């Protein structure tokens, strides 16, 4: 075991995967020599050479499109889009090509590819360095969508994603890159040092896709969260004193519905929290599923806490970001409902 | 204040519209054999002129002339003629099948048969094409079974794609034919990625990307050229300029650029323009570009100058936007007739043998059609199972899809 930040864990996952399988190639903007704007690929080019880890032109559809061709050839590209906010030029390639290649060719061609994208806000990133576009991927059949919330999962899930035979969208909450963040921006920044999930095996291991993790057991209410919001949910439970059960979904597609239903049937209440905007966000899907499967166990309407239906603002960062104050109020309302 | 006049928007128009007399006087066509043939490893800078000319081998008299002649044996040419005639006969039958309601949709290749049929011959086993919906000649010249093509068009119980794809969106890895997508230009950059993969693996295989004149306006065309140029990917980037993108004449996509081939120059790619209705010229240029890629010298952009004689698809009526007689006025003629005349000229062929082969080909296609129809057509007979609809979205069916399949009762 070693102490790792999420950045180091992600780098370690690619290092391990590249070492084990020479079909794994890593590329993207500034990913090669420089090692990535977030340092996630630092040292990989030196270790594996320029043809395994390299810099790409600034063309998201080019990066994703070439990766699809490489995957069809038989490689396993693990590519990077510098910010999830900049995936839109590649959306055609991701949704119409990568997602459907196996289906439309009846398995003649497949697309074992991972697309890493730093995501989420809480960093004064403004409109185009803060977005959480996961719902734009969960709606696309053929894609799998992963959002880790800590270094241990980030490494284990990324290794699973690289080994997965289908395309995986791997959203990395950049707010969590250097340390956990519970939404208390007024507190000093914390690091992963001392956090139990900052202890990460140096060698190969994996965390399966499609399996949620119960971060806190509780009996009063179930909170469904992923990414940065897992830490916000933990702080909220602590501060409100409400005995919440917190589920870190980890994979949005395929979803671990069993773990969710088991919890909600036990608690009778459910709150969904995500950074992404509310309307048609992934929370709506979670609410619909819980409602459909737990209707007779529910003691209150299911609550959603999310980003407002506005573009992500700059100056109003903390008015926008669903922190523990908003989450706490929602949780108290939910318990009184 | 300024004295500059008010601005006005320029919107290009074709020379003629329905009711007008076809006019191709603006298409400048060099004499066959007049365009030079550079060495395969020549510097792209040294052959910029080739992006503005047209490489041609067959002259008006049906003779093969000039530095690009002589890449094929007489037997290969006879086989090439057969491939083109087979594709044309196949198109005719499938067009009719669509009119008879046996399938929902079809797209023919009329006038463009030489491009894909001759190109296929320049590739080797293991190479991969990333075609559009108008390169079925790659399959026919590659020996893919006609019955399988028809099964796909009919979406019947023997459809290799299980009824999931619109007709003509074939896929065959074994035959070096990448799965066709309805989304234009996407495959162009994927071809570059496939070629990069082959280079990363130190393999010997090359890729070929395909795109039409209209789709060169898509951003993936530009992405493909950037990546191909940057990484010197072993890929041949083909632009089939058939003058029309549905109803839109090629000037709308080309803009102020002299030619589509010229677009490659800005990316440092050797860019060649070739007579797309000249089977010999297409093959010679394809072979040149394929060899360049195979020798790791780099990618090539090739523009095939041809004409889309038929409607865009079975859902299109070209008489609404271009003169009916325009295809007859097309100065590069018909690829089948031109190759036939050449073979007659060199004494390897005759009108009688040609007529005989036409009949044989018709029989071949009709019997393939009968066999395919035994497996059903779109609205009658055998069809893919409803279970097939749920399979193959992922390697392993996730729980939510299993639940949906159960709900659907399969």
């Amino acid at each position: 075991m070693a102490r790792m930040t999420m950045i180091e864990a992600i780098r370690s996952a690619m290092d391990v995967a590249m070492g084990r399988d020479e079909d794994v190639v890593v590329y993207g903007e500034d990913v090669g020599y420089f090692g990535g704007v977030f340092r996630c690929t630092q040292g990989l080019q030196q270790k594996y050479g320029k043809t395994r880890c390299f810099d790409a032109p600034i063309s998201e559809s080019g990066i994703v499109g070439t990766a699809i061709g490489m995957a069809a050839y038989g490689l396993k590209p693990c590519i990077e889009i510098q910010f999830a906010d900049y995936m839109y030029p590649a959306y055609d390639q991701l949704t119409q090509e990568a997602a459907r290649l196996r289906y439309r060719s009846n398995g003649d061609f497949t697309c074992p590819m991972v697309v890493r994208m730093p995501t989420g806000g809480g960093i004064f990133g403004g409109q185009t360095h803060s977005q959480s576009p996961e719902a734009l991927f969960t709606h696309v059949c053929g894609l799998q969508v992963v959002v880790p919330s800590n270094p241990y999962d980030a490494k284990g899930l990324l290794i699973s994603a690289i080994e997965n035979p289908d395309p995986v969208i791997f959203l990395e909450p950049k707010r969590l890159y250097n340390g956990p963040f519970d939404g208390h921006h007024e507190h000093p920044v914390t690091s992963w040092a001392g956090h139990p999930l900052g202890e990460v095996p140096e060698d190969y291991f994996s965390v399966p896709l499609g399996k949620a993790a119960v971060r806190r057991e509780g009996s009063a209410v179930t909170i469904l969260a992923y990414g940065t919001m897992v830490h916000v949910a933990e702080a909220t439970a602590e501060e409100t004193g409400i005995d919440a059960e917190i589920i870190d979904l980890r994979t949005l597609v395929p979803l671990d519905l069993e773990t969710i239903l088991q919890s909600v049937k036990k608690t009778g209440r459910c709150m969904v929290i995500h950074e992404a905007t509310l309307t048609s966000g992934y929370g709506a899907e979670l609410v619909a599923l819980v409602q459909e499967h737990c209707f007779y166990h529910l003691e209150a309407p299911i609550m959603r806490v999310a980003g407002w239906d506005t573009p992500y603002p700059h100056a109003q960062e903390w008015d926008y970001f669903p922190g523990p104050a908003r989450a706490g109020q929602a949780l108290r309302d939910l318990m009184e409902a | 204040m300024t004295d500059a006049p008010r601005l006005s928007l320029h919107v290009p128009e074709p020379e003629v519209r329905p009711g007008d007399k076809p006019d191709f006087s603006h298409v400048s066509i060099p004499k066959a054999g007049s365009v030079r043939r550079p060495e395969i490893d020549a510097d792209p800078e040294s052959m910029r002129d080739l992006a503005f000319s047209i490489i041609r081998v067959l002259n008006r008299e049906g003779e093969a002339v000039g530095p690009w002649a002589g890449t094929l044996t007489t037997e290969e040419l006879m086989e090439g003629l057969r491939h083109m005639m087979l594709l044309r006969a196949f198109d005719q039958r499938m067009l009719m099948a669509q009119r008879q309601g046996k399938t929902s949709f079809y797209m023919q290749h009329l006038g463009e048969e030489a491009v894909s049929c001759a190109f296929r011959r320049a590739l080797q086993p293991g190479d991969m094409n990333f075609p559009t919906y108008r390169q079925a000649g790659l399959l026919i010249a590659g020996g893919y079974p006609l019955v399988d093509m028809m099964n796909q068009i009919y979406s019947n119980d023997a459809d290799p794609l299980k009824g999931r794809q619109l007709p003509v969106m074939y896929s065959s890895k074994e035959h070096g034919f990448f799965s066709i997508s309805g989304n234009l230009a996407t495959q162009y950059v994927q071809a570059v990625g496939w070629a990069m993969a082959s280079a990363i693996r130190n393999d010997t295989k090359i890729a070929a990307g395909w795109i039409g004149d209209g789709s060169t306006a898509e951003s993936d065309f530009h992405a493909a050229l950037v990546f191909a140029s940057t990484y010197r990917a072993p890929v041949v980037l083909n632009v089939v300029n058939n003058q029309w993108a549905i109803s839109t004449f090629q000037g709308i996509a080309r803009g102020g650029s002299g030619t589509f081939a010229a677009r490659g120059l800005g990316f440092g790619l050797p860019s060649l323009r070739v007579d797309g209705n000249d089977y010999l010229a297409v093959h010679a240029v394809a072979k040149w570009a394929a060899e360049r890629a195979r020798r790791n010298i780099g990618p090539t952009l090739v523009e095939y100058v041809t004409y889309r004689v038929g409607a865009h698809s079975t859902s299109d009526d070209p008489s609404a936007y271009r003169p009916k007689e325009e295809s007859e006025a097309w100065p590069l003629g018909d690829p089948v007739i031109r190759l036939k005349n050449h073979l007659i000229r060199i004494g390897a062929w005759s009108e009688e043998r040609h007529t005989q082969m036409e009949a044989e080909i018709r029989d071949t296609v009709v019997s393939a059609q009968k066999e395919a129809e035994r497996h059903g057509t779109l609205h009658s007979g055998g069809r893919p199972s409803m279970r097939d609809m749920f399979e193959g979205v992922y390697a392993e069916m996730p729980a939510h899809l299993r639940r949906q399949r159960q709900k659907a009762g399969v």
Side-chain angles (χ1 to χ4, degrees):
Chain A
M1 293 293 244
R3 185 187 297 159
M4 293 188 197
T5 64
M6 200 190 260
I7 290 167
E8 288 160 344
I10 285 162
R11 184 195 308 146
S12 175
M14 285 184 271
D15 189 358
V16 166
M18 292 174 88
R20 283 168 61 93
D21 185 349
E22 60 178 27
D23 288 337
V24 178
V25 293
V26 169
Y27 64 101
E29 296 157 20
D30 304 298
V31 157
Y33 181 84
F34 180 57
V37 295
F38 291 107
R39 321 309 299 150
C40 287
T41 53
Q42 194 168 32
L44 296 179
Q45 184 175 80
Q46 286 87 329
K47 186 166 175 183
Y48 296 101
K50 278 201 304 186
T51 62
R52 298 281 308 282
C53 176
F54 52 92
D55 290 315
I58 303 176
S59 167
E60 287 77 15
S61 74
I63 291 168
V64 174
T66 50
I68 293 167
M70 287 185 199
Y73 174 94
L75 298 188
K76 293 176 188 163
C78 177
I79 54 172
E80 179 182 302
I81 301 293
Q82 200 160 78
F83 287 87
D85 315 59
Y86 301 131
M87 67 83 185
Y88 301 94
Y91 199 59
D92 189 27
Q93 289 286 350
L94 289 169
T95 62
Q96 310 302 300
E97 301 293 322
R100 295 212 305 248
L101 190 52
R102 177 186 294 278
Y103 188 77
R104 76 170 198 234
S105 71
N106 191 27
D108 201 17
F109 296 93
T110 60
C111 190
M113 161 178 98
V114 179
V115 188
R116 295 180 38 245
M117 304 180 196
T119 187
I123 56 150
F124 281 95
Q127 293 186 22
T128 56
H129 298 81
S130 309
Q131 295 173 26
S132 298
E134 61 271 16
L136 296 173
F137 297 118
T138 57
H139 190 57
V140 180
C141 42
L143 297 179
Q144 298 182 41
V145 183
V146 176
V147 193
S149 69
N150 59 74
Y152 182 91
D153 281 356
K155 178 168 174 180
L157 288 166
L158 183 51
I159 287 175
S160 286
I162 292 170
E163 291 179 338
N164 191 281
D166 290 310
V168 178
I169 306 296
F170 197 86
L171 294 159
E172 302 168 359
K174 56 189 157 314
R175 178 66 236 205
L176 302 179
Y177 268 160
N178 289 303
F181 179 68
D182 61 11
H184 281 296
H185 54 95
E186 69 281 10
H187 295 170
V189 173
T190 52
S191 83
W192 283 109
H195 194 287
L197 293 167
E199 291 292 319
V200 183
E202 283 165 291
D203 298 330
Y204 175 88
F205 77 100
S206 64
V207 172
L209 306 187
K211 290 271 175 275
V214 178
R215 294 292 173 211
R216 182 190 191 280
E217 293 198 6
S219 58
V221 56
T222 300
I223 303 181
L224 303 180
Y226 50 90
T228 309
M229 290 301 122
V230 171
H231 304 277
V232 171
E234 284 172 346
T236 306
E238 185 97 356
E239 290 158 24
T240 56
I242 294 169
D243 187 23
E245 179 146 297
I246 298 170
I247 298 177
D248 179 353
L249 299 177
R250 300 200 287 200
T251 306
L252 307 188
V253 179
L255 181 68
D256 184 355
L257 190 61
E258 286 314 307
T259 299
I260 295 170
L261 302 187
Q262 210 175 0
S263 175
V264 177
K265 284 177 183 173
K266 178 177 75 176
T267 61
R269 284 181 161 83
C270 181
M271 182 172 105
V272 176
I273 182 166
H274 59 57
E275 283 182 71
T277 52
L278 182 75
T279 300
S280 302
Y282 191 62
E285 180 65 26
L286 293 171
V287 168
L289 286 168
V290 170
Q291 189 276 149
E292 182 187 342
H293 293 275
C294 304
F295 186 76
Y296 295 107
H297 293 83
L298 287 171
E299 291 163 35
I302 307 159
M303 185 80 79
R304 275 187 293 169
V305 179
W308 309 117
D309 281 339
T310 70
Y312 205 111
H314 184 246
Q316 301 91 336
E317 174 82 87
W318 305 118
D319 303 315
Y320 181 92
F321 186 90
R326 258 170 70 199
Q329 189 54 53
L331 201 56
R332 280 190 290 271
D333 292 349
L334 178 58
M335 293 313 295
E336 283 162 24
Chain B
M1 289 297 283
T2 158
D3 332 335
R6 293 269 178 172
L7 301 168
S8 65
L9 182 72
H10 169 66
V11 181
E13 271 293 322
E15 307 282 324
V16 292
R17 284 297 192 185
D20 297 338
K21 197 169 145 38
D23 176 18
F24 286 110
S25 57
H26 59 287
V27 182
S28 120
I29 299 186
K31 274 177 70 158
S34 66
V35 178
R36 70 198 179 92
R37 183 184 183 282
E39 289 303 312
I40 283 175
D41 59 357
D43 183 351
E45 281 294 316
S46 71
M47 49 177 126
R48 294 173 69 89
D49 53 311
L50 296 186
F52 300 95
S53 193
I54 300 179
I55 294 163
R56 305 178 65 228
V57 171
L58 292 175
N59 68 14
R60 279 175 187 282
E61 286 70 46
E63 294 161 326
V65 295
W68 293 90
T71 60
L72 291 165
T73 65
T74 304
E75 266 163 29
E76 286 170 332
L77 288 175
M78 278 158 56
E79 197 186 35
L81 181 65
R82 186 171 179 278
H83 290 154
M84 290 200 287
M85 290 168 71
L86 194 53
L87 176 56
R88 187 167 290 188
F90 182 88
D91 274 348
Q92 280 166 356
R93 294 301 299 187
M94 291 297 101
L95 195 62
M96 202 193 303
Q98 190 276 337
R99 297 297 185 221
Q100 293 165 339
K102 291 174 179 172
T103 184
S104 63
F105 183 73
Y106 191 70
M107 303 179 95
Q108 51 175 342
H109 304 75
L110 195 57
E112 300 177 39
E113 292 89 346
V115 177
S116 52
C117 288
F119 186 88
R120 179 62 183 79
R121 200 177 272 289
L123 295 184
Q124 291 178 5
D127 294 342
M128 186 63 69
N129 282 287
F130 287 73
T132 75
Y133 46 68
R134 222 185 294 279
Q135 276 88 44
L138 296 170
L139 286 175
I140 285 185
Y144 187 74
L146 296 184
V147 179
D148 286 344
M149 292 172 76
M150 289 171 174
N151 288 335
Q152 196 281 327
I153 290 164
Y154 287 145
S155 289
N156 61 23
D157 66 23
D159 175 1
L161 307 181
K162 306 283 185 192
R164 294 174 189 154
Q165 274 274 53
L166 200 65
V168 315
M169 306 276 180
Y170 316 103
S171 172
S172 176
K173 191 176 197 170
E174 196 193 334
H175 287 79
F177 193 94
F178 187 73
S179 156
I180 295 179
S181 166
N183 296 66
L184 298 176
T186 50
Q187 79 287 345
Y188 216 53
V189 67
Q190 293 162 7
V192 176
W194 197 98
M196 287 168 68
S198 183
I200 287 169
R201 276 269 199 84
N202 306 122
D203 203 342
T204 58
K205 298 168 192 162
I206 64 165
W210 293 86
I211 204 164
D213 46 293
S215 303
T216 60
E218 291 279 7
S219 55
D220 278 345
F221 173 73
H222 302 84
L225 266 53
V226 173
F227 278 70
S229 170
T230 298
Y231 301 108
R232 280 192 218 158
V235 63
V236 182
L237 293 166
N238 298 308
V239 178
V240 183
N241 176 7
N242 68 13
Q243 316 298 317
W244 291 96
I246 307 186
S247 73
T248 311
F249 92 113
Q250 49 119 348
I252 293 286
R254 184 171 47 77
S257 175
T259 65
F260 291 101
R263 295 236 191 269
L265 298 179
F267 295 88
L269 304 180
S271 305
L272 281 59
R273 222 161 160 252
V274 56
D275 177 347
N277 291 10
D278 180 340
Y279 186 93
L280 285 76
V282 169
H283 179 264
V285 170
K287 186 168 180 261
W288 186 95
E291 210 170 317
R292 189 174 164 96
R294 219 179 293 284
R295 286 208 211 156
N296 211 31
I297 301 163
T300 304
L301 185 77
V302 182
E303 176 186 344
Y304 303 87
V305 183
T306 182
Y307 185 88
R308 195 197 77 210
V309 175
H312 165 70
S313 73
T314 49
S315 309
D316 175 49
D317 172 17
S319 70
Y321 51 80
R322 68 185 193 190
K324 276 195 171 114
E325 331 67 61
E326 195 176 79
S327 64
E328 282 148 44
W330 175 242
L332 295 176
D334 178 289
V336 173
I337 294 170
R338 284 175 66 193
L339 182 54
K340 173 188 140 191
N341 289 345
H342 170 64
L343 286 169
I344 290 172
R345 173 94 196 184
I346 61 174
W349 204 236
S350 66
E351 288 291 353
E352 296 71 42
R353 287 180 71 183
H354 194 79
T355 310
Q356 194 187 346
M357 187 151 87
E358 265 178 340
E360 280 168 20
I361 283 175
R362 201 175 314 120
D363 288 349
T364 304
V365 175
V366 168
S367 75
Q369 191 179 12
K370 279 187 186 145
E371 195 185 329
E373 290 183 7
R374 277 205 295 276
H375 291 283
T377 60
L378 182 60
H379 298 297
S380 69
R383 50 177 299 208
S385 87
M386 205 158 118
R387 254 182 111 79
D388 286 328
M389 183 170 75
F390 292 96
E391 302 282 347
V393 182
Y394 301 91
E396 220 175 296
M397 189 177 292
H400 69 277
L401 260 183
R402 280 203 306 274
R403 282 194 299 274
Q404 289 174 28
R405 190 180 66 183
Q406 215 163 16
K407 198 172 258 182
V410 288

